[in-house]
Amino acid sequence: MTQQGVRWSADQVLSLAPDAASRKAGSKLGAAGPWSEAGSCGEGTVWGLCKGSGSKPYQTVVDIADASGPAYKCSCPSRKFPCKHALGLLLLWSGGADAVPAGQPPEWAGEWLEGRRKRAAEKQAAATGSASGSGDPEAARRRAERRAERITAGATELEQRLVDLLRGGLAGAEQAGYGQWEETAARMVDAQASGLAARVRELGTIPSSGPGWPVRLLEECALLHLLDQGWLLRERLPDGLATTVRSRVGLPASADGPPLRDRWLVLAQYDTADARLTTRRIWLYGATSGRTALLLSYGAAGRAPELALPMGLALDAEVSAYPGAGQPRAALGEQFAPPAPTATRPPGVTPEQAAARYGEALRDDPWLDSVPVTLDRVVPARDGDSWQLADADGKTALPLTSTARARPGLWRLVSLSGGAPVTVFGEFGHRGFTPLTAWPEAGEAVSLC
């Protein structure tokens, strides 16, 4: 149940925005002017009518208590989730009970909420029934063997293509263009090795990508060769590393770790998208366990994933780990209460300790791009034409990635710091550090995504 007096901050609401345009438009609707008949109830529902360009106001309702994060319904034609009206309504609600008083939901909001709860119960019952059924283990074993044979054939072919590339010289990769990489990636898809296909497509973007591209291409070819050999020789690998290799080549896995119940702080949430898929990454920190976990959610191209959790809040829930040595990925299980404000902060480390942590993680997963890190008492500072996070008490620093330097969040971080030390959570790897969330010495979390 949602406590009527517990309201999110504006920054926590805006962390749910699917993009910068929605964030800006929603902010304009966070005042009482366009709203009428707004209200909320202790069951975690917020509703209201928002005046638009037409004669009828838009009916907007948000279910804050949904187990997978806030759920939204709006009569506007927008395909974004949440739309600007849902964001504006939550911003209005975050301002206090005067703008959104307690009450009973109107009929249109109540019908939507009742339908959601009914479908959730049916889905749970169906899942329980499916889990109790038994499949054919022998058929499953044969399917797994056939797929392994296809991946082995694909990895063997990819090894030969890498040999041909190096024999012909890297300069030929620039002249050949992207088409050869896409054709090779399609071959890996046919071999049911989606992970190999993704890495091949990344290779195709490196030629002519700027100064030093041959070095970067050679490095990525070496990592791809290592992954190929890891698959072909997987029977000789330690169990944890072999599981990581299977995951990296694209074999699906289920979260089979024992459920871990904790009060999980939502550290950050952000989306990445390509022509095929939108991927949402949500980082959690367990206040009791001290564990950092990654939730992944997917949506078709142009559609936001369903799972959404507001940054800076905490939820009492269970998570289960995915297999693999040193893998932070987990699946969200039963949620015992909706997200609520918390004073919890993850403990921080120095830049030197962060670099050591990444090095240790590479032993378990040589293909790891980055690890989650919280830096304690760092100051954003210029480094020539670039930026870095410098240790306020020492002489070490971590460079920011090119992605971080291009985001508006960098200037939010600089403004938040004002030259004073801050705590910053982000992802650190061989390309540098990408800040995602920051805390001043006294104050609430601020999203940098």
Side-chain angles (χ1 to χ4, degrees):
M1 299 289 285
T2 299
Q3 299 179 34
Q4 192 64 42
V6 176
R7 311 227 172 192
W8 304 346
S9 69
D11 204 55
Q12 288 163 344
V13 171
L14 292 175
S15 70
L16 297 169
D19 51 40
S22 298
R23 189 178 298 112
K24 182 178 180 180
S27 297
K28 294 180 179 179
L29 295 175
W35 292 96
S36 62
E37 300 182 28
S40 63
C41 69
E43 293 184 352
T45 308
V46 184
W47 61 87
L49 303 177
C50 185
K51 181 176 176 56
S53 57
S55 59
K56 292 184 178 181
Y58 295 123
Q59 296 177 337
T60 309
V61 56
V62 182
D63 181 9
I64 304 171
D66 187 83
S68 61
Y72 319 93
K73 172 67 175 178
C74 185
S75 58
C76 77
S78 175
R79 295 182 63 191
K80 296 181 179 180
F81 294 94
C83 67
K84 63 181 181 180
H85 305 102
L87 289 170
L89 177 61
L90 286 176
L91 286 171
L92 188 69
W93 168 76
S94 71
D98 291 340
V100 184
Q104 291 299 314
E107 183 178 356
W108 56 268
E111 289 177 353
W112 174 77
L113 185 64
E114 183 180 354
R116 279 192 56 78
R117 302 285 161 83
K118 181 179 179 181
R119 287 191 296 273
E122 291 173 348
K123 184 177 180 180
Q124 179 64 33
T128 301
S130 176
S132 63
S134 59
D136 183 348
E138 180 59 26
R141 185 188 64 79
R142 289 195 298 269
R143 287 194 299 270
E145 287 182 351
R146 288 195 296 269
R147 181 166 187 178
E149 291 172 358
R150 294 191 188 100
I151 295 175
T152 296
T156 303
E157 178 182 346
L158 183 55
E159 280 290 276
Q160 185 57 54
R161 296 201 177 201
L162 290 175
V163 169
D164 293 343
L165 170 66
L166 296 178
R167 281 179 176 170
L170 296 182
E174 185 176 23
Q175 299 169 0
Y178 184 76
Q180 66 168 354
W181 302 103
E182 183 58 38
E183 190 269 336
T184 302
R187 295 284 295 166
M188 295 305 103
V189 172
D190 292 341
Q192 295 185 288
S194 58
L196 294 179
R199 298 192 78 90
V200 168
R201 290 192 176 100
E202 290 177 6
L203 280 181
T205 65
I206 297 177
S208 304
S209 61
W213 71 261
V215 174
R216 294 194 297 275
L217 181 60
L218 186 60
E219 291 173 346
E220 293 302 320
C221 283
L223 285 173
L224 187 51
H225 166 69
L226 184 65
L227 183 55
D228 275 341
Q229 289 299 309
W231 172 261
L232 296 173
L233 303 175
R234 61 192 180 279
E235 302 299 335
R236 305 181 190 178
L237 298 178
D239 290 343
L241 184 56
T243 301
T244 299
V245 167
R246 286 193 288 269
S247 173
R248 289 294 183 182
V249 300
L251 282 176
S254 300
D256 58 2
L260 175 61
R261 182 174 178 178
D262 206 334
R263 187 162 177 79
W264 297 95
L265 168 66
V266 183
L267 290 171
Q269 172 181 293
Y270 70 94
D271 294 351
T272 56
D274 57 29
R276 301 172 180 81
L277 200 66
T278 298
T279 302
R280 174 164 295 162
R281 298 167 68 89
I282 303 176
W283 285 106
L284 305 178
Y285 171 75
T288 301
S289 64
R291 178 184 166 188
T292 302
L294 174 64
L295 307 180
L296 294 181
S297 183
Y298 302 96
R303 301 284 294 184
E306 287 189 7
L307 181 62
L309 298 174
M311 179 277 306
L313 299 184
L315 59 154
D316 181 6
E318 292 179 340
V319 302
S320 298
Y322 278 80
Q327 296 297 306
R329 188 183 174 191
L332 182 63
E334 184 176 358
Q335 185 174 331
F336 302 96
T342 179
T344 301
R345 292 189 185 189
V349 299
T350 66
E352 184 177 7
Q353 291 169 327
R357 181 174 295 179
Y358 179 56
E360 293 170 358
L362 288 175
R363 292 183 303 185
D364 292 327
D365 186 352
W367 308 276
L368 191 63
D369 286 330
S370 61
V371 293
V373 171
T374 301
L375 298 176
D376 186 34
R377 292 185 54 76
V378 291
V379 180
R382 278 198 173 277
D383 180 24
D385 294 332
S386 187
W387 283 85
Q388 62 184 6
L389 290 178
D391 187 355
D393 300 323
K395 298 181 180 180
T396 58
L398 295 181
L400 296 190
T401 61
S402 58
T403 300
R405 297 195 300 270
R407 287 178 175 174
L410 170 60
W411 303 110
R412 297 190 73 186
L413 176 59
V414 173
S415 176
L416 181 70
S417 167
V422 290
T423 299
V424 184
F425 169 78
E427 297 171 350
F428 174 66
H430 59 94
R431 296 183 180 91
F433 186 88
T434 301
L436 301 174
T437 305
W439 296 261
E441 289 195 338
E444 297 180 344
V446 174
S447 175
L448 307 175
C449 299

